[in-house]
Amino acid sequence: MADWELRPASAADVEAMAELRAVVLRGDLERLGRYDARRVRQRLRDGFEPGCTWVIEVGGAFAGCVALRPDADGRCHWLEHFYVGAQHQGRGIGSGVLGELLERCDRDGVGVGVGVVRLNVLRGSPARRLYERYGFVVEAEDAVDVFMVRGLPS
């Protein structure tokens, strides 16, 4: 596994994150007939919340990003904007980051939603396998997205 670190994101990181999003999602979005070079970047900018976002660094350099945002009523967290650059994929970074964030969520969660995490992933994306390894299950699907959840009470 590669050595990596998480650091809090700042406003200065948003453009690097938007560019990484465009690169990482391009193949899946084109396959789904949904790629728009401007829109793919703008969606990250519009949803950027520095207080809920981290930059993934390898050797002190930008390697990816991730956000874990509590929902409005505190019943769950949303895993968003989780992108790792192609040169860093397959080295255990995504697994390590996801594992750490889920541990934090389980440990620090409050109320009814302790440990409940939701996300959406593009249909056909290989990232879905990572989420399934960490206990996420499909909650719903549409023509573009697969909505997944982890930690619902039984």
Side-chain angles (χ1 to χ4, degrees):
M1 177 188 286
D3 288 331
W4 54 270
E5 293 183 5
L6 286 178
R7 69 160 171 82
S10 70
D13 297 310
V14 73
E15 289 308 313
M17 293 170 57
E19 187 59 31
L20 178 62
R21 181 178 197 270
V23 169
V24 168
L25 294 183
R26 184 174 187 144
D28 284 329
L29 289 171
E30 285 177 341
R31 178 180 43 77
L32 295 166
R34 306 284 295 206
Y35 185 76
D36 177 307
R38 188 199 63 77
R39 185 170 181 241
V40 72
R41 291 168 176 85
Q42 194 59 45
R43 286 193 62 173
L44 185 132
R45 293 177 191 119
D46 291 345
F48 181 64
E49 294 182 38
C52 301
T53 307
W54 293 270
V55 168
I56 303 163
E57 292 185 338
V58 173
F62 179 85
C65 56
V66 63
L68 186 64
R69 178 183 54 81
D71 75 344
D73 62 8
R75 296 181 62 86
C76 72
H77 285 85
W78 280 91
L79 184 72
E80 302 171 317
H81 306 304
F82 190 12
Y83 312 113
V84 176
Q87 69 274 28
H88 300 291
Q89 292 177 10
R91 299 172 53 202
I93 296 169
S95 292
V97 169
L98 183 57
E100 181 174 314
L101 290 178
L102 293 176
E103 284 177 20
R104 288 183 192 181
C105 191
D106 291 345
R107 182 184 63 239
D108 301 336
V110 294
V112 176
V114 174
V116 177
V117 179
R118 287 189 157 82
L119 60 85
N120 62 292
V121 62
L122 292 171
R123 287 183 74 111
S125 171
R128 178 175 169 174
R129 290 189 305 272
L130 171 65
Y131 301 132
E132 289 171 339
R133 284 197 313 267
Y134 279 84
F136 284 85
V137 296
V138 175
E139 193 169 40
E141 295 184 49
D142 64 24
V144 176
D145 291 304
V146 177
F147 298 88
M148 303 182 81
V149 63
R150 173 199 160 272
L152 280 179
S154 41

